[in-house]
Amino acid sequence: MQRFTVSVIFFSLTLLTLSDGGSIGVNYGRIANNLPSAVKVVQLLKSQGLDRVKVYDTDPSVLRALSGSGIKVTVDLPNQQLFAAAKAPSFALSWVERNVAAYHPHTQIEAIAVGNEVFVDPAHTTKFLVPAMKNIYQALVKHNLHSDIKVSSPIALSALGNSYPSSSGSFRPELVQPVFKPMLDFLRQTGSYLMVNVYPFFAYESNADVISLDYALFRDNPGVVDPGNGLRYFNLFDAQIDAVFAALSALKYDDVKIVVTETGWPSKGDNNEVGASLQNAAAYNGNLVRKILTGGGTPMRPKADLTVYLFALFNENQKGGPTSERNFGLFYPDERKVYDIPLTAEKLKDYHDRPSPVSGGQKQPPKAPAPVVVGGGGVSKSTTGNTWCVANPDVEKVKLQAALDFACGEGGADCRPIQRGATCYDPNTLVAHASFAFNSYYQKKARAGGSCYFGGTSYVVTQEPKYGSCEFPTGY
């Protein structure tokens, strides 16, 4: 979910050693003009017992503020720098010197995310991913930091070719040989882990008639049996994670661990964003924290103590797209809590999820297994009605044009109708043409999770787009 910057929580090392579970961290995104200073943010994290944070760059003010805090940090090398990092070892070495070695160990950098959801980046950066990861790692070796700092890259669930049922999880075939096998070899050889972004909210939003709200929010429900392995799932999060574990197993990388680098639920959304509410966000994140900190493995990997980064630390007012994108935060910019949930093992003792009459999940869980496909920034296929993918008119024209070029080129969208003289050429605007191309790609991909993203330049709508007399397809 690259268009978001996420934040999550976790507990102290003392509690970690006493707990039977995993670890909670927070994504600290800054796409906003009203956030507190980095110094105040570090104070906020410490006051909440949060000692693991993930950021989306290497901003000096943030890294300096974290110095001496005891908070472990995951930093990011942005997608736009993948080419340079892949092609020039000297660039990778210089980047590590400036952004990692200059701060570590006083700022406890524990991982570098090389890119973010690269496979859905319209700038064609996929082929540079593994070479960039290797060059960054070699730069760490030269500074003798490779034992302290892991190198990985977050993937969205759209990187899966199959994700339902969980037992049939597999990576997209076209990515296996050129990307996944060399990347997983690298992770295995360096003792690193696969970073994964998962969002049950998007799956529920588009399939609310099929997926029980209780199933999405970790509440009591009869569960869903995977027909492939007979395992029973009681929440959608586990089903999504196990689809990734199955994909790893299919390629014989069972020894590669997973870290969930983004997950969350919005506290507010547009009228058509089903399930986006303060009560549901509190339930999802609160129950997820309880699951992870009290020994929350998955049916397929019951002993997998996961590290999970919640999305996000703050509501970020400068994000585009639907209302939900600006309301994933645990805190308002003035540092007030959006809702009150425990973020540490100690505070879990007094935590009780209290379903409201409206959001209490009155529906029964699905009689048949529920779809689990959904990637960062995408919505899974709707079974209740049609959905379309359209361009975000508020993004920069250069970024939108690049996404349009990708959709009509490598993406394989049917762009013939928007050529000069064709049925959808008018109105001759970038937004109209991009919307048609994005939707063509989205429908060709069967509205799968992550297929309406294009680097954050698009989003899903439930009302048919209207651009002149052009008709947008709903399926191929």
Side-chain angles (χ1 to χ4, degrees):
M1 183 161 146
Q2 187 176 347
R3 67 185 195 273
F4 303 102
T5 23
V6 204
S7 345
V8 173
I9 21 193
F10 79 56
F11 45 55
S12 68
L13 290 175
T14 301
L15 291 174
L16 178 59
T17 58
L18 297 176
S19 171
D20 292 326
S23 173
I24 292 292
V26 59
N27 283 271
Y28 170 27
R30 306 193 316 281
I31 306 179
N33 60 7
N34 56 356
L35 298 182
S37 69
V39 172
K40 288 186 176 181
V41 169
V42 171
Q43 293 171 348
L44 175 64
L45 293 173
K46 294 179 72 173
S47 73
Q48 299 300 314
L50 304 177
D51 56 1
R52 182 161 276 143
V53 68
K54 177 172 167 286
V55 295
Y56 289 83
D57 51 25
T58 52
D59 185 277
S61 65
V62 173
L63 296 181
R64 283 195 297 265
L66 287 162
S67 178
S69 67
I71 296 173
K72 292 184 175 67
V73 187
T74 295
V75 299
D76 180 77
L77 182 144
N79 286 0
Q80 56 266 33
Q81 294 183 343
L82 286 177
F83 175 81
K87 293 298 184 181
S90 59
F91 175 89
L93 181 60
S94 176
W95 187 90
V96 166
E97 288 175 346
R98 294 193 317 271
N99 300 299
V100 179
Y103 299 98
H104 186 82
H106 298 291
T107 299
Q108 294 184 30
I109 298 173
E110 66 171 342
I112 300 172
V114 177
N116 188 44
E117 298 187 353
V118 172
F119 306 141
V120 291
D121 184 353
H124 312 289
T125 52
T126 295
K127 62 184 177 182
F128 305 120
L129 176 58
V130 177
M133 293 171 70
K134 291 180 176 179
N135 283 343
I136 291 294
Y137 179 78
Q138 288 304 318
L140 292 175
V141 170
K142 290 185 178 181
H143 285 278
N144 198 29
L145 296 174
H146 57 291
S147 297
D148 298 338
I149 301 172
K150 304 300 184 185
V151 176
S152 187
S153 183
I155 66 168
L157 282 197
S158 56
L160 298 183
N162 291 312
S163 59
Y164 174 77
S166 300
S167 57
S168 69
S170 62
F171 295 114
R172 282 162 45 188
E174 71 274 18
L175 294 175
V176 170
Q177 292 298 334
V179 185
F180 268 109
K181 282 196 171 182
M183 181 171 73
L184 294 172
D185 282 337
F186 168 82
L187 298 179
R188 172 183 282 167
Q189 292 163 5
T190 61
S192 189
Y193 41 78
L194 181 64
M195 296 176 170
V196 182
N197 298 342
V198 298
Y199 286 91
F201 165 72
F202 292 120
Y204 175 76
E205 177 194 22
S206 293
N207 299 279
D209 62 331
V210 179
I211 300 176
S212 158
L213 185 60
D214 288 340
Y215 184 68
L217 298 181
F218 302 92
R219 288 174 173 160
D220 290 340
N221 65 90
V224 175
V225 176
D226 185 318
N229 56 22
L231 295 175
R232 185 176 293 273
Y233 286 84
F234 293 98
N235 63 79
L236 186 53
F237 175 87
D238 280 352
Q240 293 182 329
I241 295 301
D242 271 358
V244 182
F245 276 128
L248 290 170
S249 182
L251 297 181
K252 303 188 185 307
Y253 290 92
D254 297 85
D255 55 321
V256 174
K257 296 181 179 180
I258 288 175
V259 166
V260 179
T261 35
E262 292 184 19
T263 190
W265 196 285
S267 60
K268 185 178 180 181
D270 296 320
N271 290 335
N272 61 353
E273 293 188 281
V274 179
S277 73
L278 189 148
Q279 293 83 2
N280 290 346
Y284 177 82
N285 284 321
N287 290 332
L288 173 62
V289 170
R290 178 169 57 189
K291 167 189 166 61
I292 297 302
L293 297 188
T294 57
T298 68
M300 199 176 292
R301 295 283 192 276
K303 295 183 179 180
D305 291 336
L306 295 170
T307 294
V308 175
Y309 288 81
L310 298 180
F311 184 88
L313 185 56
F314 293 110
N315 286 341
E316 297 169 68
N317 66 351
Q318 291 187 313
K319 290 181 179 177
T323 296
S324 63
E325 295 208 21
R326 295 175 290 282
N327 289 277
F328 270 83
L330 300 170
F331 293 88
Y332 295 108
D334 62 5
E335 302 182 42
R336 288 180 299 119
K337 290 183 178 180
V338 178
Y339 43 83
D340 191 14
I341 61 169
L343 301 178
T344 65
E346 180 65 27
K347 293 181 180 178
L348 274 174
K349 297 175 182 178
D350 302 319
Y351 173 69
H352 300 284
D353 173 23
R354 298 179 178 85
S356 71
V358 175
S359 67
Q362 298 298 319
K363 300 177 192 175
Q364 294 300 312
K367 292 183 174 63
V372 299
V373 289
V374 61
V379 180
S380 61
K381 185 175 181 180
S382 172
T383 58
T384 57
N386 292 324
T387 56
W388 295 263
C389 180
V390 297
N392 180 354
D394 296 326
V395 302
E396 297 177 3
K397 290 184 178 181
V398 172
K399 191 174 182 181
L400 192 58
Q401 183 65 57
L404 173 59
D405 293 342
F406 166 79
C408 292
E410 182 181 328
D414 182 7
C415 294
R416 291 172 296 179
I418 58 175
Q419 303 304 308
R420 185 179 298 275
T423 54
C424 290
Y425 178 74
D426 291 320
N428 180 21
T429 67
L430 179 57
V431 170
H433 287 185
S435 293
F436 187 90
F438 293 170
N439 185 66
S440 171
Y441 179 91
Y442 176 62
Q443 302 298 339
K444 282 178 176 286
K445 296 294 183 180
R447 293 177 277 177
S451 59
C452 182
Y453 178 62
F454 300 100
T457 63
S458 62
Y459 47 83
V460 171
V461 297
T462 56
Q463 294 184 347
E464 183 176 3
K466 296 295 183 183
Y467 291 99
S469 59
C470 181
E471 294 185 7
F472 278 52
T474 56
Y476 285 89

